[in-house]
């Protein structure tokens, strides 16, 4: 349990409401916060403490994992929450902030530790850092940590600028860059499955693995987020961060110890080994971008991307992105990693599928049995589990071979109520554990890789493939995998009952 004053910049915003406040409540209920903490909500609009606490209650009621009622437990939780109107661009406000922080620090016996959470648009990050220093917020005893949200820049040059601004004030070790996928239970489980079991690691290489597929599909459209998304697109919104991070976790070498820097060093080696694209033609051959047009999802008609209110009606921003990625090192030479993500796809799901090579000599071929490859599937989100597909004899037959599943359904056992990524990450930042936050060199290398794609795409728009909402993206996305003799394995989503592992006996 760590004592700290949590300063939430952007406390009236969507992220704070949907993720951060519910995370505080769960941490409190699970006794991870203890009693020596305070939370100061900061934003420009005026709010009294009472109004802020009412907003807090509503957000927890709507989004938290625990039920909440206005009882004694609530009273003792909410007394830790305070609000201060503050314009980040005005340093004078930071003096008041210092006074309130000191007052709460004394009242709750915190000892000077401060965690600054920037739930803000990234253009404000530099000014906040500067004014935190100028306003005297970083002086005194205890630690000061900065938690920042994605997107971390728009490309490598803008990310470098942002980083330089922040680094004028904070050391790298005190900066916690959020990639909330790293906070997901099953992403963290990938390392455990890989490094705590005897039978996966010997197979984890190009001798036995044919390809790895990472799918991050969403049923939601862009809705009211067009202001941000239309400038970003799927490649920057998901590809540069969540998808490449998951790829790195799958591909990294075992670290010598489970120390944050050792783990991040191994991920950096993966990023350095990514085969960068040299020409626009290479980019076109290995990537696909698409944009949804109107279609039907879950039986309901939905508008196309360009028809969304918050989007430019002539937008060429991609809402779907797929790529064939190679990690040019000893372990992975020749193994394609296929990654894809899209909005308005038929299912909300994140899955990582490892497709193994077939046995070297199929002794069953004479019986006309084409063996299905073994699959190991990490089901990340929203269902959580690990799934293994193997070939077995169908009972009662002369030797008919069928694929069967070994299915560890984590969410069936512990429910969908496992800690949310934000809870875990907030807790880790407060404890000073940066394992599941991205280090600057990872972020920079990921931008370097993605920038090549973005700039090749920027040169032409002819290859923006349109796909109907409710489908699995453009046909070209299927071809990308088929060209290598593979296919996307169907993923299991929560939203679409018809999407399932149709070839597996459950
Ligand atoms: N929402 C989400 O689910 C996710 C968000 N993110 C990232 O988190 C960050 C915040 O996103 P989100 O909450 O959606 O954004 P919102 O636009 O909903 O909130 C922005 C917040 O910033 C405050 N703010 C804006 N300007 C100032 C200023 N000059 N001084 C003080 N406060 C200011 C606003 O309050 P006020 O107007 O009162 O000043 C508001 O509280 C972004 O970087 C976003 O990309 C990342 C992943 C998911
Ligand atoms: O970072 C983002 O992630 C969400 C998807 O997150 P999930 O945890 O719900 O899978 C995505 O909708 C959003 O566009 C992106 O900014």
């Amino acid at each position: 349990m760590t004592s700290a004053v949590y300063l939430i910049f952007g406390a009236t915003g969507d992220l704070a409401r949907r993720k951060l406040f519910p995370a505080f409540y769960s941490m409190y209920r699970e006794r991870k916060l203890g009693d020596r903490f305070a939370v100061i909500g900061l934003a420009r609009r005026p709010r009294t403490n009472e109004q802020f606490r009412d907003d807090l209650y509503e957000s927890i009621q709507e989004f938290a994992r625990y039920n909440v009622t206005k009882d004694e437990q609530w009273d003792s939780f909410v007394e830790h929450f305070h609000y201060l109107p503050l314009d980040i661009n005005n340093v004078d406000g930071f003096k008041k902030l210092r006074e309130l922080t000191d007052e709460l620090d004394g009242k709750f016996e915190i000892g000077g530790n401060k965690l600054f959470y920037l739930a803000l648009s990234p253009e404000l990050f530099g000014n906040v850092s500067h004014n935190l220093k100028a306003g005297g917020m970083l002086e005194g005893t205890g630690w000061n940590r900065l938690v920042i949200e994605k997107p971390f820049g728009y490309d490598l040059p803008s990310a470098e600028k942002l980083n330089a601004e922040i680094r004028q004030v904070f050391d790298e070790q005190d900066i916690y860059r959020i990639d909330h996928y790293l906070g997901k239970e099953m992403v963290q489980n990938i390392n455990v499955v890989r490094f705590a079991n005897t039978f996966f690691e010997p197979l984890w290489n190009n001798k036995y693995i044919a390809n790895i597929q990472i799918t991050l599909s969403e049923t939601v459209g862009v809705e009211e987020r067009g202001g941000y998304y239309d400038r970003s697109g799927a490649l920057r919104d998901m590809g540069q961060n969540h998808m490449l991070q998951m790829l790195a976790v799958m591909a990294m070498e075992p670290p010598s110890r489970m120390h944050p820097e050792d783990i991040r060093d191994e991920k950096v080696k993966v990023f350095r080994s990514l085969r960068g694209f040299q020409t626009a033609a290479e980019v076109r051959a290995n990537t696909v971008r698409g944009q949804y047009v109107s279609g039907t999802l879950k039986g309901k008609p939905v508008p196309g991307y360009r028809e969304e209110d918050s989007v430019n009606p002539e937008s060429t921003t991609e809402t779907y992105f797929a790529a064939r990625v190679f990690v040019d090192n000893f372990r992975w030479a020749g193994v394609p990693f296929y990654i894809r993500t899209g909005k308005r796809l038929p299912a909300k799901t994140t899955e990582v599928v490892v497709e193994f090579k077939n046995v070297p000599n199929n002794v069953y071929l004479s019986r006309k049995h084409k063996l299905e490859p073994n699959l190991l599937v990490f089901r990340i989100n929203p269902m959580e589990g690990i799934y293994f597909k193997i070939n077995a004899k169908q009972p009662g037959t002369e030797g008919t071979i069928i694929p069967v599943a070994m299915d560890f359904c984590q969410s069936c056992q512990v429910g969908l109520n496992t800690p949310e990524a934000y809870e875990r990450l907030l807790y880790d930042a407060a404890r000073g554990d940066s394992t599941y936050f991205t280090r600057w060199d990872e972020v920079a290398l990921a931008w370097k890789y993605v920038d090549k794609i973005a700039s090749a795409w920027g040169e032409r728009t002819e290859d923006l493939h349109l796909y109907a909402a409710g489908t699995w993206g453009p046909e070209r996305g299927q071809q990308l995998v088929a060209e290598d003799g593979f296919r996307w394995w169907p993923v299991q989503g929560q939203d679409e009952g018809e999407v399932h592992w149709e070839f597996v006996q459950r």
Side-chain angles (χ1 to χ4, degrees):
M1 228 173 284
T2 315
S3 57
V5 181
Y6 298 83
L7 297 105
I8 311 294
F9 292 86
T12 55
D14 181 67
L15 181 73
R17 194 172 70 86
R18 287 196 307 117
K19 299 288 185 190
L20 303 184
F21 297 143
F24 276 112
Y25 189 62
S26 300
M27 282 162 62
Y28 186 73
R29 291 285 297 261
E30 287 169 9
R31 302 186 194 286
K32 289 179 181 156
L33 271 179
D35 291 318
R36 291 168 56 202
F37 78 98
V39 179
I40 306 180
L42 299 152
R44 285 168 305 183
R45 71 197 76 167
R47 286 271 192 287
T48 61
N49 281 343
E50 283 62 41
Q51 285 168 327
F52 179 54
R53 290 169 182 181
D54 285 344
D55 294 345
L56 188 70
Y57 186 78
E58 274 175 29
S59 100
I60 290 168
Q61 227 179 6
E62 193 172 352
F63 297 108
R65 296 193 290 119
Y66 288 96
N67 290 333
V68 61
T69 44
K70 284 199 172 168
D71 54 13
E72 253 175 51
Q73 190 179 38
W74 170 255
D75 291 342
S76 55
F77 170 71
V78 85
E79 68 160 339
H80 295 263
F81 284 75
H82 294 256
Y83 183 84
L84 185 73
L86 172 119
D87 185 342
I88 279 153
N89 301 315
N90 180 1
V91 71
D92 293 341
F94 285 74
K95 297 198 179 99
K96 263 199 185 156
L97 179 57
R98 176 82 228 199
E99 285 164 21
L100 178 61
T101 308
D102 287 347
E103 182 194 322
L104 296 175
D105 187 281
K107 179 174 172 187
F108 294 108
E109 299 174 358
I110 286 168
N113 298 334
K114 293 182 280 310
L115 187 146
F116 306 102
Y117 196 117
L118 308 191
L120 296 165
S121 164
E123 303 88 70
L124 296 167
F125 291 177
N127 271 6
V128 186
S129 308
H130 179 269
N131 285 342
L132 282 173
K133 190 170 182 189
M137 287 298 298
L138 306 179
E139 288 157 21
T141 55
W143 47 254
N144 293 302
R145 296 188 186 134
L146 184 72
V147 180
I148 44 184
E149 267 299 337
K150 68 169 269 273
F152 197 81
Y154 173 79
D155 52 15
L156 183 56
S158 61
E160 279 172 336
K161 184 167 173 285
L162 192 57
N163 198 48
E165 284 171 352
I166 297 168
R167 286 295 308 278
Q168 280 177 14
V169 180
F170 288 91
D171 290 339
E172 175 65 31
Q173 67 191 31
D174 296 322
I175 302 172
Y176 291 71
R177 295 181 194 81
I178 292 240
D179 182 312
H180 78 275
Y181 262 70
L182 293 180
K184 288 192 191 279
E185 195 69 43
M186 285 307 298
V187 173
Q188 300 188 355
N189 214 345
I190 292 173
N191 277 348
V192 179
V193 168
R194 284 192 56 197
F195 305 139
N197 291 296
T198 313
F199 46 80
F200 292 119
E201 192 48 32
L203 305 180
W204 212 259
N205 56 54
N206 53 9
K207 287 196 191 72
Y208 298 101
I209 291 179
N211 71 80
I212 292 182
Q213 307 184 0
I214 303 176
T215 295
L216 203 165
S217 70
E218 298 189 278
T219 49
V220 289
V222 68
E223 283 137 25
E224 74 291 348
R225 289 181 71 214
Y228 152 73
Y229 192 88
D230 203 31
R231 188 161 177 267
S232 159
L235 174 65
R236 292 185 174 89
D237 185 48
M238 299 283 221
Q240 188 271 345
N241 37 75
H242 309 324
M243 306 212 69
L244 287 183
Q245 281 293 331
M246 283 193 283
L247 186 152
V249 172
M250 289 297 289
M252 67 190 254
E253 295 299 313
S256 52
R257 338 166 266 172
M258 291 313 275
H259 183 274
E261 296 315 324
D262 293 304
I263 293 169
R264 301 195 297 184
D265 285 348
E266 295 305 337
K267 283 198 285 161
V268 164
K269 288 184 203 161
V270 175
F271 287 118
R272 282 206 202 107
S273 310
L274 293 178
R275 187 187 299 169
F277 298 112
Q278 304 303 324
T279 63
E282 264 181 41
V283 169
R284 278 198 292 282
N286 289 287
T287 67
V288 182
R289 59 173 165 158
Q291 189 189 76
Y292 64 84
V293 295
S294 60
T296 308
L297 228 160
K298 291 186 247 169
K300 291 199 183 117
V302 290
Y305 179 70
R306 292 177 197 174
E307 290 143 34
E308 305 266 15
D309 289 342
S310 59
V311 167
N312 170 3
E314 288 171 15
S315 171
T316 55
T317 298
E318 80 286 353
T319 59
Y320 171 97
F321 150 71
R324 182 194 291 119
V325 181
F326 286 100
V327 179
D328 284 339
N329 64 16
F330 217 83
R331 187 187 283 266
W332 295 114
V335 178
F337 287 71
Y338 302 108
I339 60 178
R340 65 173 166 168
T341 181
K343 295 212 183 275
R344 289 288 192 224
L345 301 185
K348 165 70 181 167
T349 196
T350 304
E351 285 191 0
V352 181
V353 179
V354 181
E355 177 177 335
F356 290 89
K357 291 184 175 169
N358 269 330
V359 289
N361 178 31
N362 178 4
V363 291
Y364 299 103
L365 205 56
S366 56
R367 297 189 208 164
K368 298 203 170 44
H369 284 302
K370 188 176 170 299
L371 297 182
E372 289 278 355
N374 294 150
L375 302 179
L376 171 66
V377 182
F378 293 95
R379 294 168 68 185
I380 310 283
N381 183 35
M383 299 293 282
E384 295 173 347
I386 300 166
Y387 184 95
F388 208 18
K389 183 172 83 84
I390 56 177
N391 292 309
K393 176 177 170 288
Q394 187 169 27
T397 66
E398 291 294 309
T400 303
I401 296 170
I402 52 163
V404 295
M406 296 172 78
D407 194 352
F408 163 56
C409 176
Q410 182 158 286
S411 28
C412 303
Q413 294 188 5
V414 294
L416 284 172
N417 214 19
T418 58
E420 283 247 12
Y422 276 91
E423 276 168 58
R424 184 174 297 275
L425 294 174
L426 253 180
Y427 184 54
D428 284 354
R431 291 186 303 157
D433 182 349
S434 53
T435 308
Y436 296 111
F437 296 83
T438 55
R439 205 169 62 188
W440 166 244
D441 44 0
E442 297 175 67
V443 175
L445 287 163
W447 274 125
K448 192 174 161 204
Y449 184 77
V450 157
D451 280 358
K452 280 268 166 50
I453 302 176
S455 72
W457 282 356
E459 288 164 20
R460 43 187 277 156
T461 53
E462 301 91 289
D463 49 6
L464 178 73
H465 300 269
L466 302 179
Y467 62 97
T471 66
W472 280 103
E475 185 49 35
R476 175 73 194 116
Q478 311 300 324
Q479 278 167 11
L480 184 77
V481 177
E483 282 165 4
D484 301 334
F486 301 122
R487 62 169 167 134
W488 289 107
W489 290 103
V491 291
Q492 185 156 65
Q494 201 186 33
D495 298 333
E496 180 56 87
E498 286 155 34
V499 179
H500 56 234
W501 295 87
E502 78 277 1
F503 43 76
V504 169
Q505 307 275 310
R506 280 191 175 272

